[in-house]
């Protein structure tokens, strides 16, 4: 997913001299060719994400489309004041890209977890928040952010995620992707954890349950039109983020505003994580892998 997104931005930047890229001293195995091709439009800010954000804001004020890039929480939580005041308040064309969302860098410990970022970023003014499901959505997200102006947060998985979509897609602002036909019960997932959610849904459907899978590349804005359909009775949200304030909370707020009778169940990381382990172990431990989601959703149905 990471490589696909970067490669697509790189390709577009070759034809668009307004695109600039600033990294927070990482990703050179992925970014080397971009650095060589973009020349002065590529900058390494070092381990100084607040400075990186200020640089990008200055580039945007000068008429450029600027990208910032770092691991999980570093381009977001470490410099939230700069994102809030320098970028979002002035509605600047800065694309904040994080790689290794959720607990993808699990063995690095809590300092490298991206588990509060959605809650923080989606509250800022003027910003869109995009969490692709797979490399196909990541490629579409790259095209979308290069075509559209304004602050955007793009939350990527780490790498080597399989494709869930069967063919290329195009993102439409705030819109979800429905992977099955209409169902009374739907599992709506955001980000690469959708791989596990889709596997759980496929197993349930094989057993005859009326349940569909929906991927939500947009956390902000939320697809209110989709949620306002009369046939939907139960929604299960899945995210690799703390339960409070994340994607499930955004869906809950939308359901409340719509005065909908949809019953919502949220599957997310607990609000306290006190163990260090690899991503697969952590997802299994907290019941967010395919097996855990299958068992929980089946019980709820």
């Amino acid at each position: 997913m990471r490589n696909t997104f970067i490669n697509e931005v790189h390709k577009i930047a070759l034809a668009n001299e307004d695109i600039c890229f600033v990294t927070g001293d990482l990703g050179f195995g992925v970014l080397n060719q971009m650095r060589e091709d973009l020349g002065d439009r590529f900058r390494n800010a070092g381990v100084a994400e607040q400075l990186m954000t200020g640089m990008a804001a200055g580039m945007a004020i000068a008429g450029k489309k600027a990208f910032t890039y770092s691991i999980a929480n570093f381009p977001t939580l470490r410099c939230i004041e700069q994102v809030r005041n320098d970028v979002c308040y002035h509605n600047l064309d800065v694309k904040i890209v994080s790689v290794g969302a959720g607990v993808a860098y699990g063995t690095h410990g809590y300092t490298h977890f991206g588990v509060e970022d959605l809650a923080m970023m989606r509250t800022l003014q003027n910003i869109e928040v995009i969490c692709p499901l797979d490399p196909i959505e990541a490629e579409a997200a790259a095209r979308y952010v290069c075509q559209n102006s304004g602050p955007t947060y793009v939350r990527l998985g780490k790498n080597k995620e399989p494709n869930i979509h069967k063919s290329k897609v195009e993102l439409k602002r705030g819109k979800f992707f429905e992977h099955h036909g209409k169902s009374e019960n739907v599992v709506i997932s955001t980000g690469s954890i959708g791989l596990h959610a889709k596997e759980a849904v496929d197993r349930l459907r094989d057993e005859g349950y009326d349940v569909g899978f929906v991927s939500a590349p947009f956390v902000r804005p939320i697809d209110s039109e989709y949620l306002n359909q009369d046939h939907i009775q139960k929604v299960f949200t899945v995210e690799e983020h703390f339960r409070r304030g994340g994607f499930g909370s955004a869906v809950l707020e939308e359901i409340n505003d719509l005065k909908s009778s949809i019953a919502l169940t949220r599957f997310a990381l607990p609000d306290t994580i006190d163990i260090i382990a690899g991503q697969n172990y952590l997802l299994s431990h907290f019941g967010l892998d395919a097996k855990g989601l299958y068992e929980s959703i089946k019980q709820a149905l």
Side-chain angles (χ1 to χ4, degrees):
M1 182 184 296
R2 172 196 63 189
N3 292 12
T4 301
F5 181 89
I6 292 298
N7 290 340
E8 187 69 11
V9 171
H10 181 191
K11 182 178 74 175
I12 296 170
L14 293 176
N16 183 350
E17 294 189 356
D18 285 337
I19 293 178
C20 301
F21 200 98
V22 189
T23 180
D25 204 35
L26 85 158
F28 297 107
V30 182
L31 300 174
N32 276 339
Q33 191 61 50
M34 180 189 285
R35 178 179 60 179
E36 182 177 329
D37 291 344
L38 267 57
D40 289 344
R41 291 188 285 143
F42 185 98
R43 285 287 182 264
N44 176 15
V47 187
E49 289 82 4
Q50 294 168 328
L51 172 62
M52 175 179 72
T53 305
M55 289 173 62
M59 292 172 178
I61 288 172
K64 303 298 183 181
K65 183 184 295 288
F67 285 77
T68 64
Y69 177 84
S70 190
I71 294 174
N73 59 302
F74 296 142
T76 56
L77 305 184
R78 177 171 285 178
C79 49
I80 192 68
E81 182 178 4
Q82 285 70 30
V83 174
R84 176 182 182 265
N85 294 348
D86 297 350
V87 175
C88 293
Y89 178 64
H90 297 285
N91 198 22
L92 297 179
D93 197 7
V94 175
K95 314 306 179 184
I96 301 152
V97 181
S98 77
V99 61
V103 292
Y105 285 93
T107 55
H108 289 57
Y110 182 69
T111 58
H112 284 60
F113 290 176
V115 290
E116 307 97 342
D117 53 324
L118 293 181
M120 297 292 289
M121 299 297 282
R122 75 180 185 88
T123 63
L124 301 177
Q125 62 179 314
N126 296 317
I127 198 166
E128 294 181 340
V129 179
I130 300 175
C131 302
L133 163 70
D134 65 357
I136 291 177
E137 281 191 14
E139 184 180 284
R143 293 193 297 271
Y144 177 88
V145 298
C146 287
Q147 292 165 0
N148 293 277
S149 299
T152 309
Y153 175 44
V154 182
R155 187 184 200 246
L156 301 174
K158 192 174 181 182
N159 202 18
K160 298 182 179 178
E161 296 88 354
N163 283 324
I164 305 301
H165 288 277
K166 302 298 183 185
S167 59
K168 284 191 175 185
V169 299
E170 295 298 327
L171 296 195
K172 295 181 180 179
R173 188 174 188 270
K175 295 301 180 183
F176 297 166
F177 289 107
E178 195 172 42
H179 289 254
H180 302 107
K182 290 185 177 181
S183 300
E184 288 187 357
N185 312 295
V186 290
V187 175
I188 308 179
S189 177
T190 194
S192 58
I193 197 172
L195 167 67
H196 295 280
K198 175 69 160 50
E199 185 177 333
V201 169
D202 287 344
R203 185 174 173 186
L204 289 164
R205 289 176 65 86
D206 288 343
E207 295 178 7
Y209 286 91
D210 175 27
V211 58
F213 174 71
V214 174
S215 62
F218 282 89
V219 172
R220 180 181 174 184
I222 287 286
D223 194 341
S224 59
E225 184 179 3
Y226 179 83
L227 293 171
N228 203 28
Q229 297 180 95
D230 291 338
H231 69 275
I232 298 177
Q233 301 299 313
K234 292 183 179 180
V235 166
F236 305 89
T237 58
V238 180
E239 62 191 302
E240 196 171 341
H241 184 276
F242 280 161
R243 188 170 184 269
R244 286 184 292 186
F247 173 65
S249 295
V251 173
L252 179 61
E253 291 164 12
E254 195 65 35
I255 288 173
N256 178 74
D257 289 348
L258 291 170
K259 297 179 172 57
S260 171
S261 60
I262 289 174
L264 176 65
T265 302
R266 294 176 288 162
F267 295 108
L269 293 166
D271 290 338
T272 300
I273 300 177
D274 56 3
I275 58 174
I276 298 172
Q279 182 182 31
N280 289 338
Y281 178 88
L282 289 172
L283 293 182
S284 174
H285 179 76
F286 294 120
L288 293 176
D289 62 349
K291 180 176 181 293
L293 291 169
Y294 160 78
E295 292 172 349
S296 296
I297 295 169
K298 181 176 182 178
Q299 183 177 10
L301 290 174

